[in-house]
Amino acid sequence: METLECIQRRMDIRSYKPDPVPEGTVRALLKAATEAPSSGNLQNWEFVVVRKYETKKALSGAAMGQEFLVEAPLIVVVCANLELAASKYGGRGRDLYSVQNTAAATENLMLAAWDSGIGTCWVGAFNENDVKRALNLPENIRPVAIITMGYPDKTPKKPGRRPVEEIMHKELYGGKI
Ligand SMILES: Cc1cc2nc3c(=O)[nH]c(=O)nc-3n(C[C@H](O)[C@H](O)[C@H](O)COP(=O)(O)O)c2cc1C
């Protein structure tokens, strides 16, 4: 798929076929995720790959009971290694770059998945401590995004976007184009 077409067509998928996503495919998608830019090329991302029912159930509980987390054949939890992020840039690295870097990797992961015929959904509404407990994450590893993955069952209508005329500001915020 062409890059722009992939970007335009990707949408969050919350209903999946039960077919597993092969391990080789997961590796290829994580490789794509790591091609993202990161501050000072620190690459402060860690990915926890979840397939077990019990763990998916615990993650669903941590995410306000969102049911489709249990139904997804695969979940990747994108985490920020805070120590690594802070090692070069101190507080700004720990608080801001750590999240920006992992968000960039997450978008790469989702686009690469879409290109491979795999649907994903970015889940951000979760209790961080509950996710940390479910995955046994150490103190300095912050869960940033839960990404559900699987072959799409139902494909919804893609939600619309604010028009460019509205979001593009020339020099002065709110100025007309
Ligand atoms: C930071 C973030 C948090 C999100 N959290 C959730 C969530 O907890 N549950 C969910 O179903 N979708 C979640 N979404 C997905 C958005 O609802 C979705 O991206 C948006 O409605 C646009 O739809 P599209 O991605 O299909 O174009 C989240 C997306 C982002 C970027």
Side-chain angles (χ1 to χ4, degrees):
M1 211 183 283
E2 290 297 327
T3 308
L4 201 56
E5 189 192 352
C6 186
I7 290 170
Q8 284 164 345
R9 291 203 174 178
R10 184 214 59 81
M11 67 180 86
D12 280 318
I13 300 293
R14 298 178 180 83
S15 175
Y16 308 96
K17 295 192 171 119
D19 313 56
V21 180
E23 196 64 23
T25 307
V26 178
R27 282 176 177 276
L29 297 180
L30 292 183
K31 179 81 179 78
T34 65
E35 302 295 349
S38 64
S39 51
N41 198 27
L42 272 179
Q43 305 171 57
N44 66 285
W45 37 61
E46 315 286 345
F47 303 90
V48 183
V49 179
V50 175
R51 291 184 191 271
K52 276 195 196 133
Y53 175 82
E54 296 76 34
T55 318
K56 289 192 284 185
K57 189 94 184 132
L59 289 175
S60 168
M64 326 300 162
Q66 296 186 70
E67 292 263 327
F68 66 94
L69 273 77
V70 185
E71 283 147 33
L74 177 77
I75 293 178
V76 173
V77 182
V78 185
C79 302
N81 185 325
L82 301 180
E83 218 168 81
L84 186 55
S87 62
K88 210 167 175 181
Y89 300 110
R92 193 165 172 82
R94 189 185 170 86
D95 300 337
L96 180 64
Y97 297 163
S98 68
V99 177
Q100 290 178 324
N101 297 341
T102 45
T106 302
E107 177 71 348
N108 265 21
L109 176 68
M110 294 171 79
L111 288 172
W114 190 260
D115 188 57
S116 310
I118 295 164
T120 63
C121 184
W122 183 321
V123 176
F126 57 81
N127 178 299
E128 283 191 29
N129 285 332
D130 289 351
V131 171
K132 287 183 87 157
R133 214 167 300 121
L135 301 177
N136 200 21
L137 298 177
E139 192 49 39
N140 69 313
I141 303 296
R142 181 182 187 189
V144 173
I146 297 177
I147 307 300
T148 55
M149 304 181 97
Y151 295 96
D153 188 11
K154 287 184 214 113
T155 308
K157 196 174 169 298
K158 187 181 162 92
R161 294 297 192 259
R162 293 168 64 193
V164 173
E165 292 69 31
E166 190 182 311
I167 52 97
M168 182 174 166
H169 307 276
K170 280 209 172 159
E171 309 213 6
L172 291 175
Y173 184 82
K176 291 276 171 284
I177 303 166

CSV table of all heavy atoms in Angstrom, one decimal, residues 125-160:
chain,number,residue,atom,x,y,z
A,125,ALA,N,-7.2,4.9,27.8
A,125,ALA,CA,-8.0,5.0,29.0
A,125,ALA,C,-7.7,3.8,29.9
A,125,ALA,O,-8.4,2.8,29.8
A,125,ALA,CB,-9.5,5.2,28.7
A,126,PHE,N,-6.7,3.9,30.8
A,126,PHE,CA,-6.4,2.8,31.7
A,126,PHE,C,-5.7,3.4,32.9
A,126,PHE,O,-5.1,4.4,32.9
A,126,PHE,CB,-5.5,1.7,31.0
A,126,PHE,CG,-4.2,2.2,30.5
A,126,PHE,CD1,-3.1,2.4,31.3
A,126,PHE,CD2,-4.1,2.4,29.1
A,126,PHE,CE1,-1.9,2.8,30.8
A,126,PHE,CE2,-2.9,2.9,28.6
A,126,PHE,CZ,-1.8,3.0,29.4
A,127,ASN,N,-5.8,2.6,34.0
A,127,ASN,CA,-5.1,2.9,35.2
A,127,ASN,C,-3.7,2.3,35.1
A,127,ASN,O,-3.5,1.1,35.0
A,127,ASN,CB,-5.9,2.2,36.4
A,127,ASN,CG,-5.2,2.5,37.7
A,127,ASN,OD1,-4.1,2.1,37.9
A,127,ASN,ND2,-5.9,3.1,38.6
A,128,GLU,N,-2.8,3.3,35.2
A,128,GLU,CA,-1.3,2.9,35.0
A,128,GLU,C,-0.8,1.9,36.0
A,128,GLU,O,-0.1,0.9,35.6
A,128,GLU,CB,-0.4,4.1,35.0
A,128,GLU,CG,-0.5,4.9,33.7
A,128,GLU,CD,0.5,6.0,33.6
A,128,GLU,OE1,1.6,5.8,34.1
A,128,GLU,OE2,0.2,7.0,32.9
A,129,ASN,N,-1.2,2.0,37.2
A,129,ASN,CA,-0.7,1.1,38.3
A,129,ASN,C,-1.3,-0.3,38.1
A,129,ASN,O,-0.6,-1.3,38.3
A,129,ASN,CB,-1.1,1.6,39.7
A,129,ASN,CG,-0.2,2.8,40.1
A,129,ASN,OD1,0.9,2.9,39.6
A,129,ASN,ND2,-0.7,3.7,40.9
A,130,ASP,N,-2.6,-0.3,37.6
A,130,ASP,CA,-3.2,-1.7,37.4
A,130,ASP,C,-2.5,-2.4,36.2
A,130,ASP,O,-2.3,-3.6,36.2
A,130,ASP,CB,-4.7,-1.5,37.1
A,130,ASP,CG,-5.4,-1.1,38.4
A,130,ASP,OD1,-4.8,-1.1,39.5
A,130,ASP,OD2,-6.6,-0.8,38.2
A,131,VAL,N,-2.1,-1.6,35.2
A,131,VAL,CA,-1.4,-2.2,34.0
A,131,VAL,C,0.0,-2.6,34.5
A,131,VAL,O,0.4,-3.7,34.1
A,131,VAL,CB,-1.3,-1.2,32.8
A,131,VAL,CG1,-0.4,-1.7,31.8
A,131,VAL,CG2,-2.7,-0.9,32.3
A,132,LYS,N,0.6,-1.8,35.3
A,132,LYS,CA,2.0,-2.2,35.7
A,132,LYS,C,1.9,-3.5,36.5
A,132,LYS,O,2.8,-4.4,36.4
A,132,LYS,CB,2.6,-1.1,36.6
A,132,LYS,CG,3.0,0.2,35.8
A,132,LYS,CD,3.6,1.2,36.6
A,132,LYS,CE,5.1,1.0,36.8
A,132,LYS,NZ,5.8,2.2,37.1
A,133,ARG,N,0.9,-3.6,37.4
A,133,ARG,CA,0.7,-4.8,38.2
A,133,ARG,C,0.4,-6.0,37.3
A,133,ARG,O,1.0,-7.1,37.5
A,133,ARG,CB,-0.4,-4.6,39.2
A,133,ARG,CG,-0.2,-5.3,40.5
A,133,ARG,CD,-1.2,-4.8,41.6
A,133,ARG,NE,-1.1,-3.4,41.9
A,133,ARG,CZ,-2.1,-2.6,41.8
A,133,ARG,NH1,-3.3,-3.0,41.4
A,133,ARG,NH2,-2.0,-1.3,42.1
A,134,ALA,N,-0.4,-5.8,36.3
A,134,ALA,CA,-0.8,-7.0,35.4
A,134,ALA,C,0.4,-7.5,34.7
A,134,ALA,O,0.5,-8.7,34.3
A,134,ALA,CB,-1.9,-6.5,34.5
A,135,LEU,N,1.3,-6.6,34.4
A,135,LEU,CA,2.5,-7.0,33.5
A,135,LEU,C,3.8,-7.1,34.3
A,135,LEU,O,4.8,-7.4,33.7
A,135,LEU,CB,2.7,-6.0,32.4
A,135,LEU,CG,1.5,-5.8,31.4
A,135,LEU,CD1,1.8,-4.7,30.4
A,135,LEU,CD2,1.2,-7.1,30.7
A,136,ASN,N,3.7,-6.9,35.6
A,136,ASN,CA,4.9,-7.0,36.5
A,136,ASN,C,6.0,-6.0,36.0
A,136,ASN,O,7.1,-6.4,36.0
A,136,ASN,CB,5.4,-8.4,36.5
A,136,ASN,CG,6.2,-8.7,37.7
A,136,ASN,OD1,6.2,-8.0,38.7
A,136,ASN,ND2,7.1,-9.7,37.6
A,137,LEU,N,5.6,-4.8,35.7
A,137,LEU,CA,6.5,-3.8,35.1
A,137,LEU,C,7.3,-3.2,36.3
A,137,LEU,O,6.7,-2.8,37.3
A,137,LEU,CB,5.8,-2.7,34.4
A,137,LEU,CG,5.0,-3.1,33.1
A,137,LEU,CD1,4.3,-1.9,32.5
A,137,LEU,CD2,6.0,-3.8,32.1
A,138,PRO,N,8.6,-3.0,36.1
A,138,PRO,CA,9.4,-2.3,37.2
A,138,PRO,C,9.0,-0.8,37.2
A,138,PRO,O,8.4,-0.3,36.3
A,138,PRO,CB,10.8,-2.5,36.7
A,138,PRO,CG,10.8,-2.9,35.3
A,138,PRO,CD,9.4,-3.4,35.0
A,139,GLU,N,9.5,-0.1,38.3
A,139,GLU,CA,9.1,1.3,38.5
A,139,GLU,C,9.3,2.2,37.3
A,139,GLU,O,8.5,3.1,37.0
A,139,GLU,CB,9.9,1.7,39.8
A,139,GLU,CG,9.4,3.1,40.4
A,139,GLU,CD,7.9,3.2,40.6
A,139,GLU,OE1,7.3,2.2,41.0
A,139,GLU,OE2,7.3,4.3,40.3
A,140,ASN,N,10.5,2.0,36.7
A,140,ASN,CA,10.9,3.0,35.7
A,140,ASN,C,10.3,2.7,34.3
A,140,ASN,O,10.7,3.4,33.3
A,140,ASN,CB,12.4,3.1,35.6
A,140,ASN,CG,13.0,1.8,35.0
A,140,ASN,OD1,12.6,0.7,35.4
A,140,ASN,ND2,13.9,1.9,34.0
A,141,ILE,N,9.5,1.7,34.2
A,141,ILE,CA,8.8,1.4,32.9
A,141,ILE,C,7.4,1.8,33.0
A,141,ILE,O,6.6,1.2,33.7
A,141,ILE,CB,8.9,-0.2,32.6
A,141,ILE,CG1,10.4,-0.6,32.6
A,141,ILE,CG2,8.3,-0.5,31.2
A,141,ILE,CD1,11.3,0.0,31.5
A,142,ARG,N,7.0,2.9,32.2
A,142,ARG,CA,5.7,3.4,32.2
A,142,ARG,C,4.9,3.0,31.0
A,142,ARG,O,5.2,3.2,29.8
A,142,ARG,CB,5.8,5.0,32.1
A,142,ARG,CG,4.5,5.7,32.2
A,142,ARG,CD,4.6,7.2,32.1
A,142,ARG,NE,3.3,7.7,32.3
A,142,ARG,CZ,3.0,9.0,32.1
A,142,ARG,NH1,3.9,9.9,31.7
A,142,ARG,NH2,1.7,9.4,32.3
A,143,PRO,N,3.7,2.3,31.3
A,143,PRO,CA,2.9,1.9,30.1
A,143,PRO,C,2.2,3.2,29.5
A,143,PRO,O,1.6,4.0,30.2
A,143,PRO,CB,1.8,1.0,30.8
A,143,PRO,CG,1.8,1.4,32.2
A,143,PRO,CD,3.2,1.9,32.6
A,144,VAL,N,2.4,3.4,28.2
A,144,VAL,CA,1.9,4.6,27.5
A,144,VAL,C,0.7,4.3,26.7
A,144,VAL,O,-0.3,5.1,26.7
A,144,VAL,CB,3.0,5.2,26.7
A,144,VAL,CG1,2.5,6.4,25.8
A,144,VAL,CG2,4.2,5.7,27.6
A,145,ALA,N,0.7,3.2,26.0
A,145,ALA,CA,-0.4,2.8,25.1
A,145,ALA,C,-0.7,1.3,25.1
A,145,ALA,O,0.3,0.5,25.1
A,145,ALA,CB,-0.2,3.3,23.7
A,146,ILE,N,-1.9,0.9,25.1
A,146,ILE,CA,-2.3,-0.5,25.0
A,146,ILE,C,-2.8,-0.6,23.5
A,146,ILE,O,-3.7,0.1,23.2
A,146,ILE,CB,-3.4,-0.9,26.0
A,146,ILE,CG1,-2.9,-0.8,27.4
A,146,ILE,CG2,-3.9,-2.3,25.6
A,146,ILE,CD1,-4.0,-1.1,28.4
A,147,ILE,N,-2.2,-1.4,22.7
A,147,ILE,CA,-2.6,-1.6,21.3
A,147,ILE,C,-3.2,-3.0,21.1
A,147,ILE,O,-2.4,-4.0,21.2
A,147,ILE,CB,-1.4,-1.3,20.4
A,147,ILE,CG1,-0.7,0.0,20.7
A,147,ILE,CG2,-1.9,-1.4,18.9
A,147,ILE,CD1,-1.6,1.2,20.5
A,148,THR,N,-4.5,-3.0,20.9
A,148,THR,CA,-5.1,-4.3,20.5
A,148,THR,C,-4.8,-4.6,19.1
A,148,THR,O,-4.8,-3.7,18.2
A,148,THR,CB,-6.6,-4.3,20.8
A,148,THR,OG1,-7.2,-3.2,20.1
A,148,THR,CG2,-6.9,-4.1,22.3
A,149,MET,N,-4.7,-5.9,18.7
A,149,MET,CA,-4.3,-6.2,17.3
A,149,MET,C,-5.0,-7.5,16.9
A,149,MET,O,-5.2,-8.4,17.7
A,149,MET,CB,-2.8,-6.4,17.2
A,149,MET,CG,-2.0,-5.2,17.6
A,149,MET,SD,-0.3,-5.5,17.4
A,149,MET,CE,-0.1,-4.7,15.8
A,150,GLY,N,-5.4,-7.5,15.6
A,150,GLY,CA,-6.0,-8.8,15.1
A,150,GLY,C,-6.5,-8.5,13.7
A,150,GLY,O,-6.6,-7.3,13.3
A,151,TYR,N,-6.9,-9.6,13.0
A,151,TYR,CA,-7.5,-9.4,11.7
A,151,TYR,C,-8.9,-8.9,11.8
A,151,TYR,O,-9.7,-9.4,12.6
A,151,TYR,CB,-7.4,-10.7,10.9
A,151,TYR,CG,-6.0,-11.2,10.7
A,151,TYR,CD1,-5.3,-12.0,11.5
A,151,TYR,CD2,-5.2,-10.6,9.6
A,151,TYR,CE1,-4.0,-12.4,11.3
A,151,TYR,CE2,-3.9,-10.9,9.4
A,151,TYR,CZ,-3.3,-11.8,10.3
A,151,TYR,OH,-1.9,-12.1,10.1
A,152,PRO,N,-9.2,-7.8,11.1
A,152,PRO,CA,-10.5,-7.1,11.3
A,152,PRO,C,-11.7,-8.1,11.0
A,152,PRO,O,-11.7,-8.8,10.1
A,152,PRO,CB,-10.5,-6.0,10.3
A,152,PRO,CG,-9.0,-5.8,10.0
A,152,PRO,CD,-8.4,-7.1,10.1
A,153,ASP,N,-12.7,-8.0,11.9
A,153,ASP,CA,-13.9,-8.7,11.7
A,153,ASP,C,-14.9,-7.7,11.1
A,153,ASP,O,-15.2,-7.7,9.9
A,153,ASP,CB,-14.4,-9.3,13.0
A,153,ASP,CG,-15.6,-10.2,12.7
A,153,ASP,OD1,-15.9,-10.5,11.6
A,153,ASP,OD2,-16.3,-10.6,13.7
A,154,LYS,N,-15.3,-6.7,11.9
A,154,LYS,CA,-16.2,-5.7,11.4
A,154,LYS,C,-15.3,-4.4,11.2
A,154,LYS,O,-14.5,-4.0,12.1
A,154,LYS,CB,-17.3,-5.4,12.4
A,154,LYS,CG,-18.3,-6.4,12.4
A,154,LYS,CD,-19.5,-6.1,13.4
A,154,LYS,CE,-20.0,-7.3,14.1
A,154,LYS,NZ,-19.8,-7.4,15.5
A,155,THR,N,-15.5,-3.8,10.1
A,155,THR,CA,-14.8,-2.5,9.8
A,155,THR,C,-15.8,-1.4,9.8
A,155,THR,O,-16.7,-1.3,9.0
A,155,THR,CB,-14.1,-2.6,8.4
A,155,THR,OG1,-13.4,-3.8,8.3
A,155,THR,CG2,-13.2,-1.4,8.1
A,156,PRO,N,-15.7,-0.5,10.8
A,156,PRO,CA,-16.6,0.6,11.0
A,156,PRO,C,-16.3,1.7,9.9
A,156,PRO,O,-15.4,1.6,9.2
A,156,PRO,CB,-16.4,1.1,12.4
A,156,PRO,CG,-14.9,0.8,12.6
A,156,PRO,CD,-14.6,-0.4,11.8
A,157,LYS,N,-17.2,2.7,10.0
A,157,LYS,CA,-17.0,3.9,9.1
A,157,LYS,C,-15.9,4.7,9.8
A,157,LYS,O,-15.9,4.9,11.0
A,157,LYS,CB,-18.3,4.7,9.1
A,157,LYS,CG,-18.3,5.7,7.9
A,157,LYS,CD,-19.7,6.3,7.9
A,157,LYS,CE,-19.8,7.5,7.0
A,157,LYS,NZ,-19.0,8.7,7.4
A,158,LYS,N,-14.9,5.2,9.0
A,158,LYS,CA,-13.8,6.0,9.6
A,158,LYS,C,-14.4,7.3,10.2
A,158,LYS,O,-15.0,8.0,9.4
A,158,LYS,CB,-12.7,6.2,8.6
A,158,LYS,CG,-11.5,6.9,9.2
A,158,LYS,CD,-10.4,7.1,8.1
A,158,LYS,CE,-9.4,8.1,8.5
A,158,LYS,NZ,-8.2,7.5,9.2
A,159,PRO,N,-14.1,7.6,11.4
A,159,PRO,CA,-14.5,8.9,11.9
A,159,PRO,C,-13.9,10.1,11.2
A,159,PRO,O,-12.7,10.0,10.7
A,159,PRO,CB,-14.1,8.9,13.4
A,159,PRO,CG,-13.6,7.5,13.7
A,159,PRO,CD,-13.3,6.9,12.4
A,160,GLY,N,-14.6,11.2,11.0
A,160,GLY,CA,-14.1,12.3,10.2
A,160,GLY,C,-13.0,13.1,10.9
A,160,GLY,O,-12.7,12.8,12.1
